[in-house]
Amino acid sequence: MRLNQIAIVVEDADATVAFYEGLFGLPRVGGTVFHGKVTERVQALPDPRLIAHWLMDDREYFQLELFQYESPRSRSFARGRRPWDIGYSRVALEVNDPVAVHALCARRCVAGLSPIAPIRGQPHFSLLDPNGVLLEVCPASQPVPARVGARFAGVALSVPSLDLALRSFCDAADCPLLSDTPPDKGVLWREPPARKRGVLLDAGSAWLEITEYAEPAPLPWPEGYRICDYGIMNVAFGFREAAELRSAWARMQRGGFRPHGELASSAGQVVVGYMDDPQAFNVELLMVRPWLDGVMGFRRESRADKLVKSVLMALA
């Protein structure tokens, strides 16, 4: 399994794109409008209409997807949660020089900026994006090329039950265990004395950090929470062959994931579906043929890509 997308529901798309481009050098490579019956079936939301913006780091077939909903109306989520409350809790980015990026954040008065703290001897810090999403910044495991300023390193989840999450993400989603003693980064967001246990999973292109908190006691999902509410929506696992996606889809169903509906296919060239694990974490499975990468935001779109995209969206 290879994580190939992180999706965030945003309050102001222009401000969010400018934030990730200006602070982290992550270019916007395309975008589109999703609506209609296919989108409704995939997301299980009534009459959805949303504007998507796609940003990339230096890797093929990996993107940050920003959604701004026109319908249904999004509600607050990220701004009301603490890092240990239930839900997708933070996104990690790695940079070549965390100290220099921290200084840039300070000059720009970025919200929620923490002091630099050593984690296993390496400089880390945290901040908030324009939507209240908690970001962790850490040193790059491999040099980030000059054409971008950062690379997505991982996504963290705070879960009610670590054992159940392991059955979902380690067993059913086939993300192998990297460590059952991940580094404690709570100092970055001034976490009070905590009793918790966590794991680090290998999601191919990034890690998943899953933590169960006993203290401080986490708040559950907010009443009436929907994936269109502001904050981290989900992660996606990417495939290049429909048969591989369908095999993972079936395995994850057997492991307890509940599909929103049948898989949606565009002439077998794009296949997509959303699923919820037993603890209500939403996950997307996505297959895109390489010739459509520019249409679906996995490389900068060309004029030809825009034409193909207009046809595909009309058919949807």
Side-chain angles (χ1 to χ4, degrees):
M1 296 287 275
R2 181 181 187 275
L3 192 148
N4 78 325
Q5 181 192 93
I6 301 167
I8 298 176
V9 179
V10 304
E11 301 170 7
D12 183 328
D14 291 340
T16 306
V17 169
F19 173 87
Y20 284 100
E21 282 189 322
L23 201 59
F24 293 108
L26 299 167
R28 181 188 182 279
V29 296
T32 192
V33 177
F34 290 110
H35 62 95
K37 294 300 182 183
V38 172
T39 303
E40 183 172 338
R41 186 168 80 246
V42 170
Q43 296 198 342
L45 293 170
D47 192 24
R49 182 178 174 85
L50 53 149
I51 302 168
H53 297 263
W54 295 310
L55 291 79
M56 288 189 66
D57 58 19
D58 63 310
R59 293 171 295 178
E60 178 186 3
Y61 204 37
F62 192 101
Q63 68 183 197
L64 174 66
E65 184 169 53
L66 306 177
F67 285 143
Q68 184 167 357
Y69 279 81
E70 295 180 350
S71 174
R73 185 180 298 276
S74 300
R75 296 175 296 190
S76 179
F77 174 58
R79 296 192 189 283
R81 71 180 310 280
R82 303 164 300 177
W84 49 88
D85 290 337
I86 301 304
Y88 285 105
S89 59
R90 75 181 186 278
V91 175
L93 297 108
E94 52 184 35
V95 300
N96 290 332
D97 189 343
V99 175
V101 176
H102 186 273
L104 176 60
C105 291
R107 290 196 299 272
R108 297 188 178 185
C109 300
V110 172
L113 182 63
S114 77
I116 293 175
I119 306 293
R120 292 186 174 173
Q122 296 293 316
H124 288 61
F125 65 93
S126 65
L127 66 154
L128 298 175
D129 88 347
N131 313 283
V133 171
L134 181 63
L135 304 178
E136 167 196 335
V137 178
C138 56
S141 53
Q142 298 290 333
V144 178
R147 60 188 173 85
V148 297
R151 179 185 301 122
F152 291 98
V155 178
L157 298 75
S158 175
V159 301
S161 166
L162 179 60
D163 293 335
L164 187 52
L166 282 170
R167 290 197 289 273
S168 294
F169 287 92
C170 187
D171 299 336
D174 197 22
C175 295
L177 181 69
L178 285 174
S179 173
D180 58 4
T181 55
D184 187 344
K185 300 173 182 175
V187 64
L188 298 181
W189 45 87
R190 298 179 178 86
E191 184 174 281
R195 287 193 301 115
K196 57 187 177 181
R197 59 191 188 111
V199 297
L200 203 64
L201 302 184
D202 182 359
S205 57
W207 46 256
L208 292 175
E209 181 186 288
I210 304 179
T211 305
E212 176 190 337
Y213 282 85
E215 293 180 1
L219 293 176
W221 293 102
E223 185 176 354
Y225 169 79
R226 301 165 303 168
I227 60 171
C228 61
D229 292 337
Y230 298 126
I232 303 171
M233 172 195 270
N234 63 17
V235 297
F237 294 101
F239 305 83
R240 290 302 199 182
E241 298 294 335
E244 294 177 355
L245 183 151
R246 294 182 188 279
S247 176
W249 183 264
R251 182 184 68 245
M252 291 170 70
Q253 283 192 76
R254 293 193 298 271
F257 280 82
R258 300 179 301 277
H260 282 192
E262 295 296 322
L263 287 166
S265 175
S266 181
Q269 303 303 293
V270 177
V271 180
V272 61
Y274 281 22
M275 317 178 82
D276 297 324
D277 93 326
Q279 300 187 99
F281 285 85
N282 185 253
V283 172
E284 176 182 347
L285 271 60
L286 175 66
M287 189 282 292
V288 177
R289 296 291 189 190
W291 74 277
L292 285 173
D293 277 358
V295 173
M296 298 301 297
F298 292 104
R299 61 171 167 78
R300 191 175 294 278
E301 65 182 0
S302 65
R303 290 183 179 179
D305 293 326
K306 292 179 181 179
L307 178 61
V308 173
K309 180 169 60 181
S310 67
V311 174
L312 287 178
M313 293 306 169
L315 293 174

